[in-house]
Structures are given as structure tokens and as C-alpha cells.
Amino acid sequence: METLPKDKKIILFDGVCNLCDATVQYLIKRDNKDVFRFVALQSELGEEIINYLGINRTKTDSIILYEPGKAYYYKAQAAIKIASALGGIYTLMNVFTIFPKGLNNMVYDYIAKNRYKWYGKKSECMIPTPQMKAKFL
């Protein structure tokens, strides 16, 4: 995956999920250090990255944090790493690392399983505004 920026953390997200879309919008506004780039899981590039990493789509369908050349994380671990990378008060999310990964993922899976029911779903991925376009790969 040589075409990906090596100095950015790439967030793969469910492009039709309203909760995921709201979270991406939230992160973009708070990414003061310009750390993140975003890719919808349903996009061609999203599929390429998932295949490159060898991630089983049945294990996760909502969020993956990929640090090119370093590591990738999914589910609760991805959410905690993303919050930490924002810095400031968001680093308090690190407190959840004291809990077993399985417990964190159980809570994460419960939210992920119900996200469409609670927040709704779009028929297609959002189209970024010209100002946001640079944040998307």
C-alpha cells in the first residue's frame, strides 16, 4: 500500500452509518494536529486496505485504525487509540485499557450491533465538502 500517506493514521469507517458519519465529522473538527485521514469501508480503497491487512470482514464492520507500516487496530482498541491521538482530554479514554480487551469489545459490539437501529443508516456514503476533501483518501 505504497500510495497511502505514511505519516497519517487512517480511519476506515462505515460510510453509511449515521453514528460513524457524525463521529468522523467530530474527529475532523478536533484533528488540530492533522493526524487522521478517512476512508469508507465500502469504498474501493477501503476494500483494498482491508484485503491488504488480511482483516476478516466478519470480525469487524465498523471501525479500523491503520497506521501504515506500523499496526492496525479495530473495535474498542481503535476507538481508544483514536481518542488518544487527539490529545488533551481525550487521552482519558486510555483509562479503558485497564479493562480486558474482551470486555471493551463486548460494549463496543453492543453499540455497533445497534447503531443502525439507534442512529439510522444512509443509502450511500457521504460526499465530503470541498473543505473536507483533503481529509479523505
Side-chain angles (χ1 to χ4, degrees), residues 7 10 12 16 25 27-29 31-32 36 42 52 62 72 75 85-86 88 91 94 101 105 108 113-114 119 125 136:
D7 61 335
I10 298 167
L12 292 100
V16 296
Q25 303 298 324
L27 291 170
I28 288 171
K29 288 179 184 160
D31 185 17
N32 300 326
F36 299 114
Q42 295 86 350
Y52 173 78
S62 53
Y72 70 89
K75 295 188 179 192
L86 283 176
T91 57
N94 280 323
K101 192 169 21 171
N105 281 338
Y108 182 90
K113 183 176 143 202
N114 291 290
Y119 298 96
C125 295
F136 291 83

Side-chain angles (χ1 to χ4, degrees), residues 8-35:
K8 303 294 179 193
K9 297 174 190 284
I10 298 167
I11 298 174
L12 292 100
F13 67 99
D14 181 351
V16 296
C17 166
N18 287 333
L19 173 62
C20 303
D21 179 54
T23 302
V24 167
Q25 303 298 324
Y26 185 87
L27 291 170
I28 288 171
K29 288 179 184 160
R30 285 153 185 82
D31 185 17
N32 300 326
K33 299 179 210 159
D34 193 32
V35 173

Side-chain angles (χ1 to χ4, degrees), residues 1-3 20 23 52 87 90 108-109:
M1 303 263 30
E2 290 102 40
T3 60
C20 303
T23 302
Y52 173 78
Y90 302 103
Y108 182 90
D109 287 341

Side-chain angles (χ1 to χ4, degrees), residues 12-74:
L12 292 100
F13 67 99
D14 181 351
V16 296
C17 166
N18 287 333
L19 173 62
C20 303
D21 179 54
T23 302
V24 167
Q25 303 298 324
Y26 185 87
L27 291 170
I28 288 171
K29 288 179 184 160
R30 285 153 185 82
D31 185 17
N32 300 326
K33 299 179 210 159
D34 193 32
V35 173
F36 299 114
R37 292 296 177 265
F38 302 89
V39 177
L41 288 166
Q42 295 86 350
S43 71
E44 193 175 307
L45 181 57
E47 290 288 334
E48 278 182 46
I49 294 170
I50 289 167
N51 290 335
Y52 173 78
L53 294 174
I55 294 173
N56 181 345
R57 284 298 295 253
T58 60
K59 282 189 179 178
T60 187
D61 67 348
S62 53
I63 192 168
I64 300 167
L65 174 64
Y66 176 43
E67 298 179 27
K70 295 178 187 162
Y72 70 89
Y73 311 93
Y74 56 92

